[in-house]
Amino acid sequence: GNVTFSCSEPQIVPITFVSARRSYLLLPGTPQIDGLSVSFQFRTWNKDGLLLFTKLSENSGPLLVYLHSGRLTLLIQKETENPVEISEGTNLHDGLWHSVNINARRHRITLTLDNNAATASHATTVSRIYSGDSYYFGGCPDNFTDSQCLNPITAFQGCMRLIFIDNQPKDLILVQQGSLGNFSDLHIDLCGIKDRCLPNYCEHGGKCSQSWTTFYCDCNDTGYMGATCHNSIYEQSCEAYRHQGKTSGFFYIDSDGSGPLGPLRVFCNITEDKIWTAVQHNNTGLTRVQGADPEKPYTMSFNYNSSAEQLEAMINNAEYCEQEAAYHCKKSRLLNTPNGMPFAWWVGRANEKHLYWGGSLPGIQQCACGLEESCLDMRYFCNCDADREEWTNDTGLLAFKDHLPVTQIVITDTNRSNSEAAWKIGPLRCHGDRQFWNAASFNTEASYLHFPTFHAEVSADISFFFKTTAVSGVFLENLGIKDFIRVEIRSPKEITFSIDVGNGPTEATVRSPTPLNDNQWHYVRAERNLKQTSLQVDSLPKKVLEAPAEGHFRLQLNSQLFVGGTASRQKGFLGCIRSLHLNGQKLDLEERAKMTPGVKPGCPGHCSSYGNLCHNGGKCVEKYNGYSCDCTNSAYEGPFCKEEVSALFEAGTSITYIFQEPYPVTKNASTSSSAIYADAVMSKENIAFSFLTAHSPSLLLYINTYFHEYLAVILSKNGSLQVRYKLSKDGLLIFTIDSGNFANRELHHVKINREGRELVIQVDQVLKLKHNFSEIDFKAIKSLTLGKVTDSLSLDPEVSKANVYGFTGCLSSVQYNHIAPLKVALRHPSAAPVTVKGSLTESSCASIMEADVNTVTTIYSSSDPFGKTDEREPLTNAVRSDSAVIGG
């Protein structure tokens, strides 16, 4: 006969476990003498959660199936034997459906994940495994005791479907109707799981992951940070790094901050006057060219390891940019006449072809000598266009920002007899930050600047500096129909960031322990994204408010953006705001202030806030855009007067500074500030220096007067330090510091301060000696000598013994009152009343601390490694191999 089978898929009814504490589903089992069979499918975003619990019959112990760190674990805890544990899978909290099959017969249990029998895991038990009476899915009821339902981990949040117990499908609609099992906090016939990473709100390539309630962003290796990888970890310019006290070196800059452009690696050359930003390309050396003609032109493209947009942003933010262009030629024409076809050209930004050369202006087909009327042949406007059979060159700077950077060079005239050329395009160099000091001063409460609407629907960041003496005022406000955003100073110690995206106002307030209306610059950064609202003021603890998981999230503004005031013209701000950025984009406050009554461009008084960054006697100089440190009267140099000036001395080396008449340390210093008159009575000595040596005895410093008085600092034979005063009334006074051997190849710091009769000597920042003179009359100073005294007729015996050996080693940052004799000898030897005898070599004491000071004073000169066949021929190898001798 015929047998007919009727097969149908089980009805797929998903359920959602909503609560992390109370959700559970209880289904009855079919007790069997031997064996267990359970299968189901689950889907979740949570790494942890209890999937299944049942108490096995015949005292077989409880069986648990749960997720832990995204891995599936089956555990049977038996009282009479060791627990049985099986683990399967990874990253099972990926929001996809996963199937679980558990089968047990007699002493063997099998766990299969995603129906993959090849990777199924098995375990054996001593006693038999029996199925349970009741099966708890997702969690345990609150009112059950531990003996009935165990939950060693958090409850499950997610979806389940296709539940089979003992090979029988469970109809979840019957559960919903109350005729099967029991449940709590479930949504039946619905999988309410939400993909919170679609769309991905992690910015700048951040990797999105999520839990049941929220999403997370992994910002590693993106160059950004924050809850949504919104904030750049890098500054926007070299000027900003200098402001942090950084010195020259390689840095990443992010020109548009939190904007879409990534960070760019540059070299910041941070000096006293200008801060240069340099970007190298793939061919900054001098390159020879032969065999090129119009049919077969020579071309070279430049790669700056960055995008055109990054370079353009960097150039636009700078005050000035340049690239050196050099063309060395021998019977190789460059630009031809202004009306002729050019023989060479370069391509700049926007792939534009440019027919002018370095030192000339855009739009005219000339070189620098053409503008200066100094070309070799006055009939041409470039030296190379004279077409001579000898080496000459056209070199100058390309400085029209809108055409930079140079992206390609094309040469077409090196294919004739004896025709040859060599070219060089230097790195892109820029200085200045047009935005960092961009400021506006608000003089009345009714004055304000207005800008277009701030569009920041999903994420917004606002940063600026301010200074004020007012007790309150609104820095910035932008309104919508219901939404708004506002940053204000509410009281002298409170800054508030208020925002409403449709869920009601949210306020983040930072309270300062000291008043913020002290007319000093203070920094504010306010940010809002889908996860949090935050406010940072200076280096005070950041105030962070978590955003609600559900509700409105788009900020919708439609009015103008008001800076320094409000739409109602009330509670306006009095003071200065500078460096205002919104989502990484700068707002030109100065340009807008020029045309707005009650607001002035710029803001004075930068030294009042940043003068403490000038160290070691450096003087803060106020500038229209920022400040600088004047190191004229300091023994140090560098942008913050922190870089030591040091030199290596040999046994016969001496530096003598003669006090004959008023002398400024540099030519442009004021005469009165640095004058020491021969007939003046010195009421004080402020002496500071560092030294490193392995030799004793040594004479470090010697000051003598026209009245045969002197001050000497020597190292005795045993390595102790002596300060010797010879005075007309007190006679010879010797102060000995014998706390160790100072000729130990280590750097030591000495300070000798005399104010009137009181003398204080410090060595290595430790007070070593105090003394009160009975009467002191130290006057008519003649000279100061570092190292060996060559005019030694009047030296007393002890000083003379030390002077025989002079000083061998390193002296650093020598200061006598306001004069820096070592710095003068190295920087202004021809302009200053200073005499240098013997070998004096500039070097860093810190860099040779580990070296043998007996050998470091020998300096070797390197011969010129570059051979030349023609005096005027360019050195093609020289620019590729800059050489340096380090430490010897």
Side-chain angles (χ1 to χ4, degrees), residues 469-750:
T469 55
V471 296
S472 64
V474 175
F475 299 119
L476 176 147
E477 181 183 80
N478 205 159
L479 305 176
I481 297 174
K482 291 184 178 179
D483 299 0
F484 70 87
I485 192 167
R486 183 185 303 118
V487 185
E488 61 185 311
I489 177 170
R490 283 199 173 167
S491 73
K493 295 184 178 181
E494 282 186 341
I495 304 291
T496 299
F497 174 38
S498 307
I499 188 167
D500 188 347
V501 295
N503 302 317
T506 298
E507 287 189 353
T509 300
V510 171
R511 292 174 177 83
S512 170
T514 56
L516 297 169
N517 62 341
D518 54 0
N519 209 27
Q520 304 285 307
W521 284 117
H522 297 283
Y523 179 68
V524 175
R525 181 182 174 90
E527 184 186 354
R528 178 261 165 185
N529 55 53
L530 297 185
K531 291 184 67 67
Q532 55 190 216
T533 298
S534 64
L535 178 64
Q536 176 85 56
V537 178
D538 293 335
S539 56
L540 297 170
K542 182 190 288 189
K543 179 69 172 180
V544 179
L545 302 175
E546 296 301 323
E550 307 295 341
H552 299 283
F553 65 89
R554 291 192 179 275
L555 176 65
Q556 297 177 337
L557 306 174
N558 57 14
S559 74
Q560 289 181 317
L561 168 70
F562 290 84
V563 176
T566 64
S568 62
R569 298 197 177 193
Q570 296 179 344
K571 297 196 297 182
F573 172 71
L574 287 170
C576 289
I577 296 175
R578 73 170 175 87
S579 191
L580 175 59
H581 287 82
L582 275 66
N583 273 358
Q585 298 300 311
K586 63 184 181 183
L587 268 64
D588 196 337
L589 301 175
E590 290 190 1
E591 195 62 35
R592 191 58 62 95
K594 291 176 183 176
M595 56 188 80
T596 306
V599 187
K600 289 184 178 180
C603 188
H606 300 306
C607 278
S608 63
S609 291
Y610 304 128
N612 60 341
L613 294 178
C614 300
H615 298 271
N616 300 306
K619 182 182 178 183
C620 184
V621 179
E622 191 75 28
K623 296 164 64 178
Y624 175 73
N625 279 336
Y627 66 95
S628 64
C629 296
D630 181 3
C631 308
T632 300
N633 294 328
S634 169
Y636 293 76
E637 59 187 7
F640 303 104
C641 308
K642 291 175 71 175
E643 296 175 10
E644 64 173 29
V645 178
S646 51
L648 293 176
F649 284 63
E650 294 185 359
T653 305
S654 77
I655 296 175
T656 304
Y657 187 97
I658 300 170
F659 298 92
Q660 289 179 332
E661 51 184 309
Y663 172 70
V665 175
T666 58
K667 290 180 180 178
N668 61 357
S670 65
T671 302
S672 60
S673 68
S674 54
I676 295 184
Y677 292 87
D679 59 350
V681 176
M682 294 307 299
S683 62
K684 64 180 181 179
E685 287 94 52
N686 285 317
I687 300 170
F689 63 91
S690 302
F691 72 92
L692 179 152
T693 186
H695 296 271
S696 60
S698 292
L699 176 59
L700 300 173
L701 179 143
Y702 184 78
I703 301 172
N704 65 337
T705 73
Y706 286 101
F707 295 93
H708 305 293
E709 300 171 331
Y710 72 82
L711 163 63
V713 181
I714 67 173
L715 285 181
S716 302
K717 192 168 184 179
N718 64 358
S720 62
L721 185 74
Q722 277 193 9
V723 179
R724 303 169 70 92
Y725 269 95
K726 171 97 174 2
L727 303 169
S728 55
K729 294 185 178 178
D730 282 30
L732 179 63
L733 295 171
I734 303 171
F735 307 102
T736 303
I737 314 295
D738 54 4
S739 56
N741 177 15
F742 291 100
N744 59 353
R745 295 190 176 95
E746 292 183 5
L747 194 61
H748 298 284
H749 310 277
V750 179

Side-chain angles (χ1 to χ4, degrees), residues 55-67:
K55 195 169 181 62
L56 301 176
S57 305
E58 306 294 329
N59 294 322
S60 304
L63 179 144
L64 297 94
V65 180
Y66 57 89
L67 280 177

Side-chain angles (χ1 to χ4, degrees), residues 6 14 40 66 160 183 228 237 275 321 345 358 386 401 417 485 524 825 833 853:
S6 176
F40 58 90
Y66 57 89
M160 285 191 188
F183 68 94
T228 58
S237 67
I275 293 88
C321 292
W345 59 87
K401 281 180 23 173
S417 177
I485 192 167
V524 175
V853 292

Side-chain angles (χ1 to χ4, degrees), residues 51 155 848:
L51 296 171
I848 61 169

